Amino acid sequence: QVQVAESGGDLVQAGGSLKLSCTASGLTSGEYAMGWFRQAPGKERERVSCIPSYGSRTYYADSVRGRFTISRDNAKNTLDLQMNSLKPEDTAMYYCAVARGGYYNCPREHDFDYWGQGTQVSVSS
């Protein structure tokens, strides 16, 4: 069984920081990319950041580039998202996802196979 779980969401004031963490279990073989998505009420799900299966061609959405930093621990199958200088528009449910395959570049939403239940990030003004 493959399970993905996120943690770290909270309510913070604008300008504050949060660190989200994701653990993927059951990934005993193969290669995979890992990424973060978010969805705010009334909006489509957005790809926030991603690390591919190989290399360091990380992806950041324009809206978070320079403020968020993604990191991955392959040995532990964990993925973190350090979020700094948070803005009210960052308020969303944040999802961790895993895409099985040998990706040298980050895949897009439809290629991700396993998803967590989400962790809520709320940024007040």
Side-chain angles (χ1 to χ4, degrees), residues 17-36:
S17 298
L18 281 175
K19 185 177 182 179
L20 305 183
S21 297
C22 170
T23 299
S25 61
L27 295 169
T28 58
S29 64
E31 298 77 34
Y32 48 92
M34 298 184 71
W36 290 96

Side-chain angles (χ1 to χ4, degrees), residues 8-19 67-68 82-91 94 120-125:
D10 207 347
L11 172 64
V12 298
Q13 293 184 331
S17 298
L18 281 175
K19 185 177 182 179
R67 298 187 296 119
F68 292 9
Q82 179 64 52
M83 306 185 295
N84 298 325
S85 301
L86 284 163
K87 304 175 180 179
E89 50 263 46
D90 294 318
T91 295
Y94 283 71
Q120 179 67 42
V121 173
S122 298
V123 184
S124 63
S125 60

Side-chain angles (χ1 to χ4, degrees), residues 8-90:
D10 207 347
L11 172 64
V12 298
Q13 293 184 331
S17 298
L18 281 175
K19 185 177 182 179
L20 305 183
S21 297
C22 170
T23 299
S25 61
L27 295 169
T28 58
S29 64
E31 298 77 34
Y32 48 92
M34 298 184 71
W36 290 96
F37 296 77
R38 68 185 182 186
Q39 188 167 27
K43 296 184 178 180
E44 295 183 347
R45 190 156 56 191
E46 173 189 19
R47 187 173 60 158
V48 177
S49 185
C50 171
I51 296 179
S53 310
Y54 317 112
S56 59
R57 292 182 178 270
T58 58
Y59 167 84
Y60 292 97
D62 290 342
S63 59
V64 307
R65 187 177 295 110
R67 298 187 296 119
F68 292 9
T69 302
I70 191 170
S71 60
R72 176 176 178 173
D73 187 329
N74 292 331
K76 298 180 179 179
N77 292 331
T78 58
L79 184 74
D80 293 339
L81 185 68
Q82 179 64 52
M83 306 185 295
N84 298 325
S85 301
L86 284 163
K87 304 175 180 179
E89 50 263 46
D90 294 318

